[in-house]
Amino acid sequence: MAASGSTDLSTTPGGHAGGKAYYVSTPIYYVNDAPHLGHAYTTVAGDVLTRWHRQRGEKVWYLTGTDEHGQKVMRTAQTNGVTPKEWADRLVETAWKPLWEHLEIANDDFIRTTQERHTHRVQEFVQDLYDKGEIYKGSYEGPYCVGCEEFKLPGDLIDGTGEYEGQKLCPIHGRPVEMLSEDNYFFRMSAYTERLLEFYAANPDFIQPASARNEVLKFVQQGLQDLSISRSTFDWGIKLPWDPAHVLYVWVDALLNYATAVGYGADQAKFDATFPADVHLVGKDILRFHAVIWPAMLMAAGLPLPGKVFAHGWLLVGGEKMSKSKLTGISPHQLTDHFGVDAYRYYFMRAIPFGQDGSFSWEDFTARYTSELANDFGNLASRVAAMVGKYFDGTLPAATADGPAEEALHAALANAVKSADSKVEQLDFQGALDDVFGFVKLVNGYLTEQEPWKVAKDTSEEGQARLATILYTAAESLRGLAVLLNPVMPATAEKLWASLGAEAHLGALPAQRVQDAGTWGQLPAGATVTKGEILFPRLEEKKDS
């Protein structure tokens, strides 16, 4: 318990002193295979979220990494004729890290559970729980899914059909579970049933979305069982310090990465300035680990709980969760080679409501690329630059004839910024992009209505002032769009920023504050506007190139 008058951080989500970093994590991913779209979906979402918060001027820490222990990784390595460590090293260096670099993921750290900075601190953590009497020795007998690395409850399983007739299957992997009977060590998780329920009640936003919260509440209200936290039938894992014949259950090992990566037991200043996470991003299939086991472990250790666990939905192929084991895993490179990296990042944040299941469709991606990126946005940027070049020799003119149409755009940009900022804060990436691309449509509509190509024929002073105002308004609108889209499509936004000649007057794009993007008139008259390369070439042209 906390001392009188202080805050009990073990029951306060995100409790911390002032100046703490905005800390976002992805799950750490199993290295049994190369990453697919599902892994990239979570990681891109975290990157967009943290880039947005950086552009709000906040101190940010973004963590991802790999989960390298456990039976699944061990068996994959054996199948490939190498040691588990050799397999993990190969996959991390040739598949995982290169993909995150390719997708422009700006993570601050990449943790591997085989690193000493992790393994030693994990042993200290579980030794502390053991010394406190939170861990005891007992026997476990029951079903286990190696694919999930999870002890299953009988009610979790489904009946097999066909070749699996008469067997109990994991509902996620569709494969038979294994029956285990071992002497293990157990964490007294059952003692935290009421504390967790009280915590959920006091912090209704801790688990999101609402469907995920309801699932966890129902699960915990049934009463928690003590958790088997060790295995003794194989040795690929972190050894228990008081009994080296046992290795730690891979999920207890994995969850602790969120603490060890930010200095737990090694760098108290960094730990205090970062921990706990403000947002844990997880797939809904690993929700219970993060919303039940992890907070119970933290409560037992007297550490602060995270601010939010957000469970996003699955990417579906043929109505099923994307999975290498079901041969539905798609490599992100298959899409980025065709559409480009920025379009990839945009599509998955725009097409699927974050928190719901969504079906990936090549046809839908193609349609959105063509309509929203190439025609609406890319063509807008190209048209504006071309007209400034044609009518004003590439020098942005001043707006001296604002009227109701311009004032409407000023207000629309300010509203789009405010609304998008609020929605990103709620992890509603689709809603935020709806706001931004709603403004794109308004700017296109503005140009269609104002017809600058016709106004240009009026060579009077009044006519030229009107032309200058129209083109300045369009270019300044693009300035706001570049800022808003930088967290989602950083390479494209940089190209647009360069095309507008903005850096010479406003500084580097990543330093622009998203919350200030709607303040009108920041791009000064006299800026040099250049057409530059096409932001989103037609797909048939991309194929030929």
Side-chain angles (χ1 to χ4, degrees):
M1 294 294 292
S4 176
S6 67
T7 301
D8 182 359
L9 292 180
S10 69
T11 56
T12 303
H16 54 261
K20 178 190 171 300
Y22 181 75
Y23 176 18
V24 176
S25 74
T26 72
I28 52 173
Y29 305 108
Y30 287 125
V31 290
N32 59 302
D33 209 333
H36 58 57
L37 292 187
H39 304 116
Y41 179 58
T42 316
T43 311
V44 168
D47 188 64
V48 171
L49 181 63
T50 47
R51 282 178 181 268
W52 189 279
H53 278 266
R54 284 193 192 98
Q55 279 199 240
R56 298 188 89 253
E58 299 173 24
K59 179 182 175 184
V60 168
W61 194 260
Y62 183 32
L63 174 69
T64 190
T66 45
D67 186 358
E68 303 179 10
H69 290 131
Q71 227 171 346
K72 182 195 291 191
V73 173
M74 182 187 74
R75 289 182 179 179
T76 303
Q78 290 171 342
T79 300
N80 286 274
V82 295
T83 68
K85 184 62 164 60
E86 288 171 337
W87 178 257
D89 289 345
R90 179 191 304 175
L91 263 289
V92 167
E93 296 304 327
T94 64
W96 290 90
K97 285 184 176 180
L99 179 62
W100 297 159
E101 184 176 347
H102 175 65
L103 293 179
E104 301 286 349
I105 306 300
N107 52 297
D108 296 283
D109 195 3
F110 186 102
I111 188 163
R112 300 178 57 185
T113 56
T114 52
Q115 292 172 331
E116 281 191 19
R117 62 167 173 157
H118 177 73
T119 58
H120 289 182
R121 303 289 87 79
V122 167
Q123 288 179 316
E124 291 175 7
F125 182 95
V126 294
Q127 181 71 58
D128 178 59
L129 293 193
Y130 183 71
D131 293 344
K132 290 176 176 177
E134 297 281 356
I135 294 173
Y136 66 93
K137 195 169 187 178
S139 297
Y140 174 81
E141 184 171 355
Y144 188 84
C145 174
V146 174
C148 294
E149 293 281 17
E150 182 180 7
F151 300 96
K152 297 289 187 179
L153 298 174
D156 292 336
L157 306 178
I158 59 175
D159 293 324
T161 58
E163 64 175 309
Y164 299 134
E165 184 75 37
Q167 300 184 68
K168 292 292 185 179
L169 311 183
C170 167
I172 295 172
H173 291 91
R175 294 188 176 181
V177 293
E178 299 181 13
M179 296 304 295
L180 296 184
S181 180
E182 295 180 2
D183 288 335
N184 292 339
Y185 285 90
F186 288 76
F187 168 51
R188 298 184 190 276
M189 194 163 71
S190 60
Y192 292 90
T193 299
E194 291 306 318
R195 283 190 65 182
L196 284 169
L197 290 173
E198 291 170 3
F199 175 77
Y200 301 149
N203 301 282
D205 293 334
F206 173 65
I207 304 168
Q208 292 187 11
S211 58
R213 172 181 166 79
N214 292 337
E215 176 195 324
V216 169
L217 284 175
K218 182 178 179 181
F219 175 72
V220 177
Q221 285 165 351
Q222 295 172 351
L224 297 175
Q225 298 180 359
D226 289 348
L227 177 70
S228 175
I229 65 157
S230 74
R231 301 292 305 276
S232 57
T233 53
F234 64 92
D235 63 359
W236 180 236
I238 298 175
K239 294 184 183 301
L240 296 186
W242 66 87
D243 190 345
H246 289 250
V247 295
L248 189 63
Y249 174 40
V250 65
W251 266 102
V252 175
D253 164 6
L255 289 164
L256 281 165
N257 92 89
Y258 305 128
T260 60
V262 295
Y264 171 79
D267 186 341
Q268 192 63 41
K270 180 179 180 180
F271 188 71
D272 291 342
T274 315
F275 196 84
D278 292 84
V279 181
H280 285 311
L281 296 177
V282 302
K284 65 180 184 179
D285 50 331
I286 57 173
L287 172 63
R288 290 181 190 176
F289 297 103
H290 289 82
V292 180
I293 297 175
W294 180 225
M297 287 167 54
L298 292 173
M299 286 177 175
L303 292 173
L305 270 61
K308 183 183 300 180
V309 175
F310 196 105
H312 65 71
W314 289 341
L315 295 184
L316 305 176
V317 175
E320 291 189 334
K321 179 194 175 190
M322 194 167 293
S323 165
K324 283 288 175 69
S325 64
K326 294 184 179 179
L327 303 180
T328 56
I330 298 173
S331 165
H333 283 285
Q334 293 174 255
L335 299 182
T336 59
D337 287 350
H338 184 67
F339 295 100
V341 170
D342 273 9
Y344 176 100
R345 290 169 58 99
Y346 169 82
Y347 175 77
F348 285 101
M349 295 299 96
R350 175 84 157 118
I352 301 167
F354 201 66
Q356 299 179 26
D357 292 349
S359 294
F360 162 72
S361 162
W362 191 280
E363 292 76 17
D364 184 51
F365 197 158
T366 300
R368 287 184 182 274
Y369 180 100
T370 301
S371 173
E372 298 169 9
L373 295 178
N375 293 347
D376 288 352
F377 178 50
N379 191 44
L380 171 64
S382 182
R383 291 166 69 202
V384 172
M387 286 190 286
V388 172
K390 180 177 182 179
Y391 301 127
F392 293 96
D393 295 324
T395 300
L396 186 66
T400 58
D402 282 347
E406 287 71 40
E407 291 168 3
L409 270 191
H410 302 175
L413 177 59
N415 289 337
V417 170
K418 184 177 180 180
S419 181
D421 192 32
S422 175
K423 288 175 181 175
V424 171
E425 184 70 24
Q426 300 302 315
L427 279 70
D428 179 8
F429 304 110
Q430 184 187 67
L433 285 169
D434 284 347
D435 290 329
V436 174
F437 272 75
F439 181 70
V440 169
K441 286 187 176 297
L442 286 177
V443 181
N444 275 311
Y446 167 81
L447 286 179
T448 299
E449 291 171 2
Q450 300 304 316
E451 300 181 310
W453 47 90
K454 289 186 178 179
V455 175
K457 296 176 182 178
D458 183 351
T459 57
S460 69
E461 185 176 334
E462 184 181 65
Q464 291 302 294
R466 185 68 201 141
L467 176 63
T469 297
I470 295 168
L471 294 184
Y472 177 86
T473 299
E476 172 65 356
S477 296
L478 287 170
R479 189 272 315 158
L481 288 167
V483 176
L484 291 174
L485 289 170
N486 188 54
V488 183
M489 299 188 285
T492 298
E494 283 284 359
K495 291 176 185 176
L496 178 56
W497 199 247
S499 170
L500 295 171
E503 184 161 356
H505 303 278
L506 301 177
L509 177 54
Q512 304 301 307
R513 298 288 176 255
V514 290
Q515 65 269 34
D516 299 332
T519 301
W520 194 265
Q522 295 183 51
L523 189 62
T528 300
V529 177
T530 54
K531 189 168 183 181
E533 63 182 281
I534 297 172
L535 298 182
F536 295 99
R538 294 185 183 278
L539 291 174
E540 56 268 24
E541 293 173 1
K542 292 171 70 69
K543 284 181 182 178
D544 295 338
S545 61

